[in-house]
Amino acid sequence: MMARQPVRVLVVCTGNSARSQMAEGFLRVYGAGGVEPASAGMEPRALHPHAVAVMAERGVDISQQTSKPFSELLARAMDYVITVCGDAEARCPVLPPSVRHLHWPLPDPARAEGTEEHVRAVFRQSRDAIERLVREFLEGLKAADYSGSSRSSVV
């Protein structure tokens, strides 16, 4: 029996500084061996320190990840492109039918204002929502594998 190729997943947001980076980190850890994750931004900014800190609280190190610009060529090579904000969804080009486009509308924690404690709490809420979505996504992939369905038709 041939081994399956990892599912290639690109997570896209505007800045590639928080939401998409956290999703990439969770996909890398929870999808180890079965998923090849990447992230990108329409207007990449530096990795947000609060994203790094709240992911470390979950034992996921994203400190070495870097912000990268969105590339249509890269997106076309993926099995899934997941946009995590309205801006990225609106700016994502039409992709071939072989690339599944999912949208997870998540508020941007990098826009949070207030005390350090409040901002960190907003990042934790975002992290927890992303973790739930990633786990659900991966469960969908696993269910499709068990049912013999094509991965490209999942979710």
Side-chain angles (χ1 to χ4, degrees):
M1 194 163 119
M2 279 184 25
R4 289 191 179 230
Q5 294 288 350
V7 175
R8 296 161 300 177
V9 181
L10 177 64
V11 186
V12 184
C13 66
T14 303
N16 192 219
S17 68
R19 294 165 290 185
S20 56
Q21 293 284 354
M22 289 190 278
E24 179 183 350
F26 281 130
L27 284 164
R28 187 172 316 288
V29 170
Y30 297 146
V35 175
E36 195 175 288
S39 65
M42 296 297 183
E43 300 167 16
R45 296 182 189 91
L47 184 61
H48 200 291
H50 283 305
V52 174
V54 300
M55 290 297 286
E57 293 173 357
R58 283 283 195 271
V60 179
D61 181 7
I62 65 169
S63 65
Q64 299 306 306
Q65 292 178 195
T66 58
S67 295
K68 299 155 293 291
F70 175 82
S71 155
E72 185 174 345
L73 189 61
L74 176 63
R76 289 176 170 276
M78 295 288 138
D79 297 306
Y80 289 89
V81 171
I82 303 172
T83 51
V84 294
C85 69
D87 179 57
E89 181 186 33
R91 294 170 66 182
C92 188
V94 174
L95 299 169
S98 61
V99 180
R100 297 279 300 180
H101 179 189
L102 306 176
H103 181 60
W104 298 343
L106 298 165
D108 186 356
R111 292 186 179 190
E113 296 179 358
T115 65
E116 184 75 15
E117 295 79 23
H118 173 75
V119 172
R120 185 70 61 104
V122 170
F123 269 84
R124 286 186 183 115
Q125 289 171 345
S126 184
R127 174 206 60 207
D128 294 348
I130 292 165
E131 183 176 26
R132 179 182 53 77
L133 289 164
V134 165
R135 286 184 177 275
E136 289 172 3
F137 173 75
L138 293 172
E139 283 301 314
L141 291 179
K142 188 185 297 182
D145 259 357
Y146 291 134
S147 70
S149 299
S150 164
R151 284 185 170 154
S152 63
S153 64
V154 178
V155 183

